[in-house]
Amino acid sequence: MGGAFLAAAVLARIGGRIGLPTIPLFILAGILLGPNTPGIVLVADPHDLEMLSLLGLVLLLFYLGLEFHVDDLKTGGRKMALAGGAYLLLNVGAGLGFGFALGWGTSEALVLAGVLGISSSAIVTKVLVDTERLGNPETKPILGIIVVEDIFLALYLAALQPVLSGADSPAAAALDAGKAFGFLLLLAAAARWGTRVIGKLIATKDNELLVISFLGAAVLVAGISEWFGVADAIGAFMVGLMLGSTQSGPRIRELVHPLRDAFGAIFFFAFGLSIDPGDLPSVVWPVLIAVAVTLLMNVVAGLVAARVYAFGPRPAANIATALLARGEFALILATMAASAGLDERLAPFIAGYVLILAVLGPLAAGRSGLLARVLPGGRAEAPVPALQEAGAAR
């Protein structure tokens, strides 16, 4: 493991010299040093890193919650719902239509609707951090769309599970969905009215005790969320949302940085371990068509979100490119589809689709200005140099 991570660090540093983001390079390191490619295999079983990878996802979303204030939910709830709903309608709808057009089956089409429709929360978070856009105005709708996606995700998984398992009980599906939604409401109520009590419980002058406390809270709530049928990531996000509004919030943001970076790298490396390049040639054309559909839908969704928030072409381009990547949720669906005995082409299709967008997403986000120029009104908008934009974000 040590050799694998050092190799990933060297590869990322080399790529950084030519301006490549770290996310695709960590993924590439996992592909090259994993069991699915010839040569040196430093991690033979991807499951060896499963728990560390989950911790990476939890910490990435916990940090995202720290940056997203409760006031943003109270003041921008309607706009957030409109932007998130439009994003889901466009992308999930396009994914469902694409799935039926492939002709692989109804269950397969329902799986593809989620694969094409849901962004990677982990990659989106890392992109916002790497591009120093956490302070930008368009970051609020980006985070809002992620929240709406995660709420939809809980209901979608609850509805999809009986379909994949062959169960024919709408009552059981409704019970699972109600349980997940009820737990989400409980977390939201705690974030809205329990911040003062939570702040007193978490407060301590000792940094060591503070780290142990917020890490334990984030991981525990993530695990409980998963038990209730809610994505573990949204549980960690809600804990970050609660703690970010306390007096300890600024210290927690500083203390979580090294944990977020270290375990985040592990998440993307383990992501690469799960991809087998040998399976990709058989589904190359469906993958490329799906990537094109996702690119188009994200641009349209970015324009819609920008219209809702009265933004111009550059924020619209930032929204479209930041949400482009697909990742951890698509791989979960691939595992569910394989265990349910669905079309064997689904797994390599999802792997290829996710790999391309996991690489293309961060690259596109770093060059969103090129997209802004071709959007309506883009040429009339004054160009903003990258350094100036980064300074404004800070």
Side-chain angles (χ1 to χ4, degrees):
M1 284 174 59
F5 292 126
L6 284 175
V10 170
L11 187 63
R13 293 181 70 173
I14 293 173
R17 293 182 180 274
I18 57 176
L20 294 178
T22 58
I23 294 172
L25 294 169
F26 287 141
I27 294 173
L28 179 61
I31 294 173
L32 295 177
L33 299 172
N36 298 315
T37 52
I40 299 173
V41 177
L42 294 181
V43 182
D45 186 358
H47 292 292
D48 289 343
L49 298 183
E50 187 171 9
M51 181 57 69
L52 296 178
S53 173
L54 287 173
L55 286 174
L57 178 62
V58 164
L59 285 168
L60 283 167
L61 270 293
F62 173 72
Y63 180 78
L64 194 63
L66 290 172
E67 296 290 340
F68 195 88
H69 301 291
V70 177
D71 290 340
D72 297 330
L73 286 174
K74 290 188 290 185
T75 59
R78 182 174 176 273
K79 290 182 177 180
M80 182 182 75
L82 285 174
Y87 188 89
L88 286 172
L89 181 64
L90 288 166
N91 285 272
V92 175
L96 185 63
F98 174 79
F100 281 119
L102 278 181
W104 290 356
T106 301
S107 297
E108 287 78 1
L110 292 173
V111 170
L112 289 171
V115 171
L116 272 66
I118 306 296
S119 306
S120 168
S121 300
I123 297 179
V124 171
T125 306
K126 191 68 165 59
V127 164
L128 293 174
V129 172
D130 289 350
T131 55
E132 298 184 328
R133 291 178 185 164
L134 284 172
N136 284 18
E138 71 273 6
T139 298
K140 288 184 179 179
I142 291 172
L143 301 185
I145 290 172
I146 289 177
V147 172
V148 173
E149 281 187 326
D150 283 332
I151 294 172
F152 168 81
L153 181 58
L155 303 177
Y156 169 79
L157 284 177
L160 186 64
Q161 185 62 47
V163 174
L164 294 184
S165 63
D168 53 356
S169 173
L175 179 62
D176 290 340
K179 184 172 67 173
F181 192 68
F183 185 69
L184 282 173
L185 289 178
L186 179 63
L187 290 178
R192 175 65 179 87
W193 292 291
T195 303
R196 182 174 299 180
V197 175
I198 294 169
K200 291 181 180 179
L201 291 174
I202 201 75
T204 175
K205 295 181 179 180
D206 190 312
N207 283 346
E208 179 184 11
L209 294 179
L210 185 59
V211 169
I212 294 171
S213 299
F214 74 69
L215 183 61
V219 175
L220 177 63
V221 175
I224 295 173
S225 299
E226 192 172 24
W227 186 77
F228 272 98
V230 178
D232 48 11
I234 192 62
F237 174 88
M238 295 301 291
V239 174
L241 189 69
M242 298 174 205
L243 297 184
S245 301
T246 66
Q247 291 185 347
S248 303
R251 286 173 58 209
I252 294 174
R253 274 189 283 272
E254 291 296 323
L255 292 170
V256 79
H257 276 180
L259 293 170
R260 179 204 69 193
D261 292 340
F263 285 96
I266 292 173
F267 172 81
F268 295 114
F269 182 85
F271 185 43
L273 292 175
S274 66
I275 295 175
D276 186 354
D279 292 336
L280 305 183
S282 62
V283 291
V284 62
W285 286 113
V287 165
L288 293 178
I289 295 171
V291 168
V293 169
T294 302
L295 285 169
L296 176 60
M297 290 299 103
N298 268 259
V299 171
V300 176
L303 289 170
V304 171
R307 177 64 64 88
V308 170
Y309 283 85
F311 291 151
R314 176 170 283 273
N318 288 346
I319 294 171
T321 53
L323 293 166
L324 181 60
R326 302 295 187 263
E328 61 280 355
F329 174 61
L331 296 180
I332 291 172
L333 284 178
T335 303
M336 292 174 62
S339 61
L342 299 187
D343 195 299
E344 61 183 14
R345 291 169 291 185
L346 266 181
F349 169 86
I350 293 173
Y353 172 77
V354 167
L355 177 60
I356 291 176
L357 287 182
V359 173
L360 184 61
L363 291 173
R367 294 159 178 80
S368 60
L370 299 175
L371 173 61
R373 293 177 190 173
V374 301
L375 294 179
R379 293 191 178 276
E381 189 179 64
V384 180
L387 291 177
Q388 181 181 341
E389 182 184 29
R394 284 192 292 271

